[in-house]
Amino acid sequence: SAVISQKPSRDICQRGTSLTIQCQVDSQVTMMFWYRQQPGQSLTLIATANQGSEATYESGFVIDKFPISRPNLTFSTLTVSNMSPEDSSIYLCSVGAGQVQETQYFGPGTRLLVL
Amino acid sequence: GENVEQHPSTLSVQEGDSAVIKCTYSDSASNYFPWYKQELGKRPQLIIDIRSNVGEKKDQRIAVTLNKTAKHFSLHITETQPEDSAVYFCAATLPGTYKYIFGTGTRLKVLA
């Protein structure tokens, strides 16, 4: 499976600021996703990061709050904008792999605390 | 849209016993069902998956069964060991979407 890294691994931020999280894969992948995992909760899909076009956002998530870039097939960024304490979560990227790319492998996550 | 329910939310078993976690999905078109194990502070790791054209799949002490008629699938862990202690998530995906809908998770504790 692909080797996936994320930066930063953790951060503490002040409310009202923005943080950009990077996701790097060691091979080209078509499907790349961003998830949020709130403390003690399950994973919720934020958006699908599309190479060369705008990301596809899930219900409840908007581009102004979570802008996503996907400049090539090995890299994506997620920005958490104008942060509030409710944004404190783990943010994970994942990539699709397998025969029809239905299997997802996750990055190590970015632990964000907003004060 | 698709919805996935997972039970139980917590499960404690004695070492060596079996553990069973069940998930129910709502959309009969769902065709791929992975299971992930997440240890504390770690990323979710795929442990087994099953496609809708298969009723059961086994990998050593882990098995998954799928009942398409009832729209539920289950994870079975036999001969549990302390290192099986973790949170387990099921997921379902619709064909062509590649998007996962996750269950709420089961915290498994294996008591030595």
Side-chain angles (χ1 to χ4, degrees):
Chain A
S1 60
V3 176
I4 309 165
S5 59
Q6 281 185 237
K7 280 193 222 181
S9 58
R10 60 179 68 236
D11 208 341
I12 302 173
C13 300
Q14 297 298 319
R15 70 172 68 209
T17 63
S18 298
L19 177 73
T20 296
I21 302 166
Q22 298 178 6
C23 180
Q24 180 76 53
V25 192
D26 69 341
S27 57
Q28 293 188 337
V29 293
T30 305
M31 308 302 297
M32 197 177 250
F33 306 90
W34 285 99
Y35 288 84
R36 182 174 72 183
Q37 187 175 28
Q38 295 179 302
Q41 303 294 312
S42 184
L43 293 91
T44 301
L45 181 63
I46 297 171
T48 303
N50 301 309
Q51 196 267 327
S53 64
E54 199 170 276
T56 305
Y57 289 85
E58 297 303 304
S59 175
F61 298 96
V62 295
I63 188 170
D64 289 347
K65 176 67 175 177
F66 298 101
I68 288 171
S69 79
R70 179 90 192 269
N72 57 52
L73 293 177
T74 64
F75 185 78
S76 178
T77 66
L78 168 76
T79 300
V80 187
S81 303
N82 188 24
M83 288 184 285
S84 66
E86 292 71 38
D87 294 320
S88 298
S89 283
I90 300 172
Y91 292 87
L92 300 115
C93 66
S94 74
V95 302
Q99 275 187 320
V100 291
Q101 302 200 9
E102 75 280 354
T103 304
Q104 291 185 29
Y105 296 94
F106 286 85
T110 295
R111 286 155 184 75
L112 172 62
L113 177 63
V114 184
L115 302 176
Chain B
E2 175 66 284
N3 183 51
V4 178
E5 294 186 1
Q6 184 171 346
H7 298 281
S9 56
T10 60
L11 179 60
S12 291
V13 299
Q14 291 292 327
E15 183 178 358
D17 287 350
S18 295
V20 181
I21 303 169
K22 296 182 181 176
C23 288
T24 304
Y25 59 99
S26 60
D27 196 323
S28 57
S30 293
N31 67 342
Y32 178 69
F33 308 93
W35 285 91
Y36 287 84
K37 174 184 180 182
Q38 188 175 31
E39 296 175 85
L40 190 62
K42 303 282 182 66
R43 74 185 82 188
Q45 298 268 17
L46 178 74
I47 55 171
I48 198 166
D49 57 7
I50 193 167
R51 290 182 177 81
S52 57
N53 59 348
V54 175
E56 183 174 357
K57 185 176 177 182
K58 224 174 168 181
D59 183 3
Q60 299 182 0
R61 296 186 297 108
I62 294 172
V64 56
T65 58
L66 172 65
N67 183 328
K68 285 197 296 183
T69 304
K71 290 188 284 186
H72 66 69
F73 56 112
S74 299
L75 178 71
H76 305 254
I77 306 174
T78 58
E79 300 170 26
T80 53
Q81 301 165 4
E83 50 266 37
D84 294 328
S85 296
V87 179
Y88 291 81
F89 293 100
C90 64
T93 187
L94 293 166
T97 69
Y98 305 103
K99 297 193 297 188
Y100 285 5
I101 305 300
F102 278 92
T104 47
T106 297
R107 184 172 300 279
L108 173 65
K109 213 177 274 186
V110 179
L111 307 169

